Amino acid sequence: MAMKIENISEGKIIGIGEVTVLPGESKDIPEAYETSPVLEVYKKCGFAKITGKPKAVEKSEAEKAAAEAVAAKKAAEEAEALRQARLAALEGISEEDLGKMANDLGINPAECKDQADVLKKVKAALKK
């Protein structure tokens, strides 16, 4: 969406680059001037109403969303790799290491019947 300026003054002619906006008119703001501080001055003085966002801001928001999606995918892949590594590490794991892993997963080994029960609950937690 292009940024627009509406001249709401009583008799002031507004100039933005090569664009002239007469009182009561509304025009697109040239892209090169979308972040000009003059726009804010016109707005604060009550001469103009500005709508829309600068294209640079719209692009950066889209780029940010794309970067967040990539980061989320990478985090999910890393979490899956860790889960798979932990599952593989269960083969021949010591009782002490199994207890530590159970605690890391929020399982209290003291509440389990025996070592096999701890192993079963850890495997179930890792498969979620």
Side-chain angles (χ1 to χ4, degrees):
M1 178 180 155
M3 283 187 69
K4 289 195 172 283
I5 183 167
E6 180 183 349
N7 187 336
I8 57 174
S9 72
E10 292 297 318
K12 173 102 172 106
I13 297 173
I14 297 175
I16 305 292
E18 296 179 9
V19 175
T20 303
V21 188
L22 300 174
E25 279 188 331
S26 180
K27 292 191 178 177
D28 288 343
I29 298 171
E31 189 173 342
Y33 294 91
E34 289 180 342
T35 57
S36 173
V38 173
L39 296 175
E40 198 59 36
V41 172
Y42 286 146
K43 189 175 169 183
K44 284 184 179 179
C45 291
F47 297 146
K49 185 164 81 172
I50 312 295
T51 56
K53 289 184 181 179
K55 288 182 182 170
V57 170
E58 290 174 357
K59 288 178 187 175
S60 67
E61 288 175 354
E63 290 169 354
K64 183 179 175 183
E68 287 174 353
V70 168
K73 183 179 178 185
K74 183 177 179 182
E77 289 171 352
E78 289 173 355
E80 178 61 19
L82 176 61
R83 188 182 75 77
Q84 291 294 335
R86 283 180 160 179
L87 275 171
L90 289 177
E91 298 300 318
I93 192 169
S94 70
E95 286 184 28
E96 184 180 332
D97 289 339
L98 180 61
K100 286 179 187 177
M101 189 181 291
N103 283 327
D104 289 346
L105 294 169
I107 300 167
N108 184 353
E111 294 175 358
C112 299
K113 297 178 215 164
D114 55 15
Q115 202 63 15
D117 191 32
V118 175
L119 184 60
K120 178 182 164 187
K121 288 182 179 182
V122 166
K123 282 183 179 179
L126 289 174
K127 289 184 179 179
K128 289 181 183 178

